[in-house]
Amino acid sequence: MAGTLSDNSDPLWHALPVEQLQEHFALDPLRGLDADAQRRAWARHGPNTLPEPAPKPLWRIFVRQFKSPLIYILFIAALLAVALGHHGDAGVILAVVLANALIGSFQEGRAERSMAALRKLATLRVRVLRDGAERVLEARELVPGDVMLLGAGDAVAADARLIDAAQLQAAEAALTGESVPVSKSVLPVPEATGLADRHCMLYSGTYITAGRARAVVVATGVHTEVGRIAGLTERAEEPKTPLELRLEQFGRALVAAALGLFALVLLLGLWRELPLSEVLMVAISQMVSMVPEGLPVAMTIALAVGMQRMAERGAIIRRLSAVETLGSTTVICSDKTGTLTRNEMTAVALWLPGGRELAVGGIGYAPEGRLSEGGKPLESVDENTRTLCLAAALCNDAQLLPPEDERVGWSVLGDPTEGALLVLARKAGLPLDTLRMTAPRESELPFDSDTKLMATRHRMDDAPRRVWIKGAPEAVLSLCAADGHAALQAARDAAETMATRALRVLAFATVDADELDPSAGFEALAGRARLLGLVGQIDPPREEVKLSVAECRAAGIRPIMVTGDHKLTGLAIARELGIARDEARAVDGHELERMGEGELRDALPHIAVFARVQPAQKLRIVEALQARGEVVAMTGDGVNDAPALARADAGVAMGVTGTEVAKNAAKIVISDDNFATIVGAVEEGRVVYGNLKKVILYLFATSMAALLVLLTALLAGYPLPLAAVQILWINIITEGTVTVNLVMEAPDGDEMRRHPIRRDDPLLGRDLLARVALMTPTIAAVTFGWFAWRLSLGLPEMLVRTETFTVLAMCCWFNVLNCQSATASALGPRLLRNRWLAIGLSLSIALQAAVLYVPAMNALFHTVPLPLESLLPLLALASLVLWVEEVRKLWVRRARGSAA
Ligand code: ATP
């Protein structure tokens, strides 16, 4: 039967007994597929992927550019121009519309492409058995017949039939709508059973919430149940982020203002008795200039660029809104293990009942080092120490792997805490290789971060059966027989002493038992356990985190440690890293439970460490911080962290140790689990916002300047200083080629010395308005001044207008350099660092030259060729806006320097 599998002759997997399933795939469930079978299955079924919706074709992006009120207005203007007999103007307007659509499509296409590339970064990984060894694969590599190994928090990446399950529960809401996790077992169900009740099956797109399992893949890709439902449905568009919505609002306000100004220019023109047709065209062009058409696409590109830079620094963004939230983050709540510390555990201290203390030599996973007592190496390991180490080795899911070659050292597959225990057992001389065979595990209660306990039952040589328990000291001690009260107290004291030394402490106990009923949980062991001892592990802090913590503080962000570990361990490490200073408090889960909402809120500013927190309490911490108006980033890795991750403003899941459930709930996944990466992402979030404000500043300052020139001319009794098509040109071509490129600006370098961005920070706040107040009048004065002076010399109007038009374009070029940074001089190498801006600027200059020197363009744009030598004074005059800003920047830098 094996190998004859075909999609339409698939058996009903849920009704098939496990033996028949194995027979079907000719499978050894302890070895998984061999290389040959994998190859055949791959050739037959291909990758385990769903077809991606095709990228949006360029022509559709192009067509969409025409669907905007701005374009409708321009079309009306073109019609008007035709009606008035200005055919040339109509042609120019249409050409400008086309150019606008081309620029828009190019930018948008670029944004779409980088977004698509970024989406690919989040690949799902699965553990499988192949050729008798455990492997980690990408989900796309799964084939029918593969044996998947699953644990709490894993995503199910293909449809599979269970062959082994311990306490297994799966969340299947995505598929069945059932919101409560369902229990799973290996027993087959009747053929007619519906999807939701097939308890022996796991389905792609669902998650394991508890327990462990082995399951054989039966369907991949489009043949899975989700594949069938999903088909080729389009990817849902991401909802607009709060900042996008605010930008839209800002854009609408400007459009309203533009309409008002249209009326004003028209009225002024009529009052001045200028020709109606000309005034009308100029009023329309002016209105169009006020509309910030580049803004939405600038926003998309800013977000895409931000995401890309964050990805380069190891933070993968899953929800766009996170980019901006990161910039506003005021508190980062971080796990300890692996995020603030290296998660490279070494057991260094043992404590045995009776008060014996042993030290363990060596560091890292190499099992080299000896046990010593009172400074003297032990010649041989006594019985009590041996039993403690036996518990450590058996109640353990990790594997210790010898180095494959000299360059890589010993490594651990699984939880580093457990890996370190295996290393300890080897140092104590236990035969790890044979241990799991001579004392096979019969049942288990997997580790869970709520109870902070794990237990396994084994068949042993010396006793028929024995249960080994390990976990957090207070949890293990609460299971121990109460008769040795003094001994338990001594253990408690010893655990505290170890914790003050920043050690992570585990306690071990044993129960002589015939039964370990997994469904009865740990309570069934209460009062029956005998304490074996304590093991203390070091987990060195990550060096770079110290710097990141200091950087956070300078940036007005408060780091808080939220750990499952002991309060004293947490506090000791928090002090070392600078998270806890002077008066800082540490609060543990019990104390937190006793605190009322008000009390917690008041205490929050003083708390640096939350320890022994249950995952559910993380949610409470997030909510309490948010109630104080904080913008909270919170890290998490486990299944139970999901609610807190989803509630936090920026939920951050761990890429390495994080479960798929956590990743799915988080907005950000960091690939190296490192606190420093979160801080880097915050910095990038600030850069994105800063760059967007540069775009806003530029758009606003230049269009206001053109308006000011026009209004001054109208009020002061001058002819119109610019032709309608020239106003359009400045707005769409001169500005359009450079504006969006401002979002590509490199960081200013002082992002992390500013305060977090307030969420209601006005887009055009005081800081920007102050700069507009400097730039706009300067540009307007230069442009209008030149116009008025040249007219007074009695020069031909066409020549004067051409010069005015050119000087305004030059002002725009200088001003975009101003907008690159609020403080840094534009004269340094800054421009060259932004390649995109340099290209845009060159393009803008070339196009301006074409309008001046290509005869056909002269006719269309009402220009005359300017002699080259006359350009120099224009350039010098236009640069005034640059010098004005340079002086302001110098002054700001000086002021900062003296304040520092
Ligand atoms: P953080 O949330 O900062 O990463 P953590 O990883 O130390 O903290 P948990 O993994 O929940 O938090 O561990 C909490 C406690 O549970 C530890 O201090 C330890 O005593 C115990 N513990 C950790 N891992 C295991 C395990 N595999 N088996 C038994 N007990 C464990």
Side-chain angles (χ1 to χ4, degrees):
M1 203 181 189
T4 59
L5 186 67
S6 98
D7 296 323
N8 21 13
S9 69
D10 274 353
L12 292 170
W13 302 109
H14 55 276
L16 210 65
V18 170
E19 302 74 44
Q20 280 186 31
L21 179 85
Q22 290 171 12
E23 207 177 294
H24 188 110
F25 288 103
L27 188 73
D28 174 350
L30 294 177
R31 290 190 55 79
L33 292 181
D34 59 29
D36 227 26
Q38 283 159 39
R39 242 189 325 272
R40 268 182 287 133
W42 178 263
R44 181 183 185 109
H45 299 276
N48 174 33
T49 48
L50 295 179
E52 281 277 315
K56 226 170 264 155
L58 211 59
W59 68 265
R60 267 179 61 187
I61 298 180
F62 181 71
V63 168
R64 205 173 49 215
Q65 306 299 318
F66 292 92
K67 291 183 191 157
S68 95
L70 171 88
I71 303 296
Y72 305 150
I73 298 172
L74 283 175
F75 274 129
I76 295 173
L79 283 178
L80 253 168
V82 173
L84 297 170
H86 300 285
H87 294 286
D89 282 359
V92 170
I93 294 175
L94 292 179
V96 159
V97 167
L98 196 67
N100 180 61
L102 283 175
I103 296 177
S105 325
F106 172 71
Q107 306 279 32
E108 231 183 281
R110 207 169 96 201
E112 289 248 336
R113 275 195 307 280
S114 37
M115 289 284 185
L118 287 166
R119 274 200 289 266
K120 291 217 173 75
L121 289 175
T123 49
L124 184 63
R125 295 186 174 276
V126 286
R127 279 188 305 141
V128 296
L129 262 185
R130 279 185 172 183
D131 263 335
E134 199 179 309
R135 304 261 179 82
V136 178
L137 305 181
E138 278 187 27
R140 63 185 298 280
E141 296 174 79
L142 278 179
V143 290
D146 261 328
V147 178
M148 289 196 283
L149 303 172
L150 295 153
D154 285 344
V156 182
D159 290 0
R161 168 74 164 88
L162 286 167
I163 51 173
D164 184 13
Q167 304 288 293
L168 191 67
Q169 294 197 341
E172 300 191 324
L175 198 63
T176 62
E178 172 61 60
S179 58
V180 185
V182 277
S183 294
K184 298 278 178 178
S185 76
V186 294
L187 297 177
V189 292
E191 286 189 0
T193 311
L195 210 60
D197 297 315
R198 296 180 187 168
H199 298 313
C200 59
M201 297 291 296
L202 292 175
Y203 291 105
S204 177
T206 64
Y207 291 94
I208 307 295
T209 52
R212 292 198 311 140
R214 266 184 310 148
V216 177
V217 173
V218 295
T220 56
V222 284
H223 302 296
T224 59
E225 293 297 332
V226 283
R228 273 180 243 232
I229 307 171
L232 268 175
T233 46
E234 288 236 350
R235 181 190 302 280
E237 289 261 327
E238 260 211 66
K240 292 219 159 71
T241 72
L243 186 57
E244 277 180 309
L245 292 174
R246 275 173 62 205
L247 273 179
E248 264 179 20
Q249 218 174 9
F250 177 72
R252 274 198 297 272
L254 280 184
V255 170
L259 282 172
L261 287 167
F262 168 74
L264 182 67
V265 172
L266 201 61
L267 286 177
L268 281 178
L270 293 180
W271 166 67
R272 289 273 324 282
E273 295 176 358
L274 294 172
L276 175 67
S277 61
E278 202 180 350
V279 171
L280 201 58
M281 293 300 291
V282 165
I284 290 178
S285 308
Q286 188 52 55
M287 175 165 70
V288 168
S289 305
M290 286 293 293
V291 180
E293 68 278 356
L295 213 45
V297 73
M299 174 80 200
T300 318
I301 295 186
L303 290 176
V305 173
M307 280 172 75
Q308 203 151 8
R309 284 185 184 160
M310 288 179 187
E312 278 160 21
R313 294 176 77 160
I316 314 288
I317 302 297
R318 299 187 65 251
R319 307 258 190 291
L320 264 187
S321 57
V323 178
E324 57 194 69
T325 319
L326 277 170
S328 304
T329 300
T330 58
V331 174
I332 304 179
C333 294
S334 171
D335 279 348
K336 170 179 69 70
T337 309
T339 314
L340 300 171
T341 63
R342 298 223 286 259
N343 204 9
E344 287 164 13
M345 307 278 176
T346 313
V348 291
L350 307 186
W351 179 92
L352 296 162
R356 283 179 60 204
E357 286 176 21
L358 273 61
V360 188
I363 196 90
Y365 295 136
E368 292 147 13
R370 293 178 70 177
L371 275 60
S372 58
E373 191 168 7
K376 280 199 231 79
L378 292 185
E379 287 307 320
S380 63
V381 174
D382 60 281
E383 197 49 37
N384 288 349
T385 312
R386 200 185 129 80
T387 314
L388 175 61
C389 294
L390 190 64
L394 289 176
C395 187
N396 197 314
D397 287 325
Q399 286 181 46
L400 183 62
L401 306 176
E404 274 174 17
D405 63 59
E406 276 145 30
R407 274 165 302 141
V408 285
W410 287 74
S411 60
V412 160
L413 199 65
D415 179 359
T417 302
E418 298 192 340
L421 295 174
L422 293 180
V423 176
L424 167 70
R426 269 195 71 140
K427 287 177 183 169
L430 292 186
L432 282 192
D433 300 336
T434 52
L435 205 55
R436 286 182 182 170
M437 244 120 51
T438 52
R441 186 187 293 188
E442 291 184 336
S443 58
E444 67 190 283
L445 281 162
F447 173 69
D448 125 68
S449 42
D450 275 325
T451 57
K452 305 197 180 353
L453 284 169
M454 167 173 174
T456 54
R457 186 184 66 164
H458 299 254
R459 227 179 26 236
M460 304 296 296
D461 290 342
D462 61 336
R465 284 189 169 83
R466 189 176 282 279
V467 173
W468 302 102
I469 306 169
K470 83 167 187 304
E474 45 310 357
V476 173
L477 291 173
S478 73
L479 299 180
C480 289
D483 45 357
H485 182 74
L488 297 189
Q489 189 51 46
R492 232 166 255 134
D493 294 343
E496 285 216 347
T497 314
M498 282 187 181
T500 345
R501 288 166 54 201
L503 297 185
R504 177 178 173 85
V505 191
L506 291 163
F508 294 82
T510 184
V511 180
D512 289 325
D514 254 352
E515 287 302 316
L516 173 62
D517 178 6
S519 59
F522 290 103
E523 286 93 72
L525 300 171
R528 296 166 59 200
R530 178 164 58 84
L531 183 69
L532 296 173
L534 306 173
V535 175
Q537 307 186 336
I538 50 162
D539 178 14
R542 288 177 182 263
E543 267 312 309
E544 64 279 21
V545 167
K546 238 182 241 179
L547 274 181
S548 303
V549 167
E551 208 178 342
C552 274
R553 296 217 184 266
I557 301 170
R558 197 154 71 94
I560 298 180
M561 177 194 284
V562 181
T563 176
D565 222 330
H566 194 276
K567 185 163 126 175
L568 294 173
T569 314
L571 195 58
I573 293 181
R575 286 211 187 281
E576 204 170 324
L577 290 171
I579 291 177
R581 295 190 301 192
D582 319 329
E583 302 293 286
R585 278 180 65 187
V587 167
D588 71 19
H590 291 301
E591 294 165 324
L592 181 58
E593 212 170 291
R594 286 197 297 272
M595 282 180 163
E597 290 312 314
E599 196 186 343
L600 173 60
R601 221 173 303 151
D602 294 341
L604 272 174
H606 313 289
I607 301 177
V609 177
F610 286 98
R612 283 288 191 251
V613 284
Q614 310 275 346
Q617 292 178 318
K618 284 189 168 183
L619 183 62
R620 192 169 160 220
I621 297 171
V622 170
E623 286 176 341
L625 283 165
Q626 286 172 334
R628 288 185 60 92
E630 307 281 5
V631 179
V632 186
M634 160 76 85
T635 68
D637 48 13
V639 186
N640 306 345
D641 290 339
L645 287 176
R647 183 75 176 87
D649 300 284
V652 183
M654 301 295 137
V656 183
T657 56
T659 57
E660 289 302 325
V661 173
K663 289 181 196 167
N664 200 44
K667 296 193 180 95
I668 302 149
V669 179
I670 49 173
S671 56
D672 57 358
D673 294 11
N674 190 341
F675 181 80
T677 305
I678 307 175
V679 180
V682 167
E683 183 178 0
E684 293 298 345
R686 292 183 174 196
V687 173
V688 167
Y689 187 76
N691 283 351
L692 264 178
K693 288 192 93 167
K694 292 174 188 173
V695 172
I696 293 175
L697 171 67
Y698 181 65
L699 280 176
F700 195 73
T702 36
S703 42
M704 288 302 283
L707 177 72
L708 205 56
V709 171
L710 185 67
L711 290 181
T712 316
L714 283 174
L715 286 170
Y718 281 85
L720 289 168
L722 293 163
V725 286
Q726 293 169 349
I727 299 178
L728 280 182
W729 177 271
I730 293 278
N731 176 243
I732 293 185
I733 308 299
T734 316
E735 291 181 17
T737 42
V738 292
T739 317
V740 173
N741 302 332
L742 275 176
V743 302
M744 313 291 288
E745 275 300 305
D748 286 340
D750 63 351
E751 280 77 9
M752 294 305 269
R753 288 197 292 278
R754 302 179 198 152
H755 285 292
I757 301 152
R758 292 215 340 252
R759 291 235 213 160
D760 55 354
D761 181 55
L763 289 174
L764 206 55
R766 267 215 310 238
D767 50 340
L768 288 199
L769 282 175
R771 293 182 69 193
V772 170
L774 208 57
M775 293 170 174
T776 299
T778 312
I779 301 177
V782 162
T783 314
F784 183 75
W786 184 267
F787 173 68
W789 177 60
R790 298 294 273 177
L791 272 189
S792 70
L793 297 182
L795 294 166
E797 214 176 292
M798 188 89 137
L799 171 71
V800 177
R801 271 192 178 179
T802 307
E803 289 176 352
T804 311
F805 171 46
T806 308
V807 97
L808 182 57
M810 288 171 170
C811 285
C812 290
W813 298 333
F814 284 114
N815 205 35
V816 79
L817 302 181
N818 286 334
C819 293
Q820 283 186 283
S821 165
T823 49
S825 164
L827 300 173
R830 192 152 188 121
L831 172 63
L832 297 179
R833 285 205 345 239
N834 186 348
R835 193 164 43 97
W836 288 97
L837 187 60
I839 295 174
L841 211 46
S842 316
L843 187 66
S844 188
I845 293 171
L847 288 169
Q848 186 71 23
V851 185
L852 291 186
Y853 300 108
V854 175
M857 299 280 264
N858 289 145
L860 287 174
F861 285 90
H862 315 288
T863 52
V864 289
L866 298 178
L868 280 182
E869 62 276 11
S870 74
L871 292 182
L872 269 184
L874 292 183
L875 204 60
L877 194 64
S879 71
L880 187 67
V881 68
L882 180 78
W883 303 120
V884 167
E885 262 286 295
E886 282 298 313
V887 171
R888 185 198 63 83
K889 288 178 185 177
L890 188 70
W891 181 71
V892 172
R893 287 201 300 271
R894 285 258 166 93
R896 279 208 190 153
S898 56

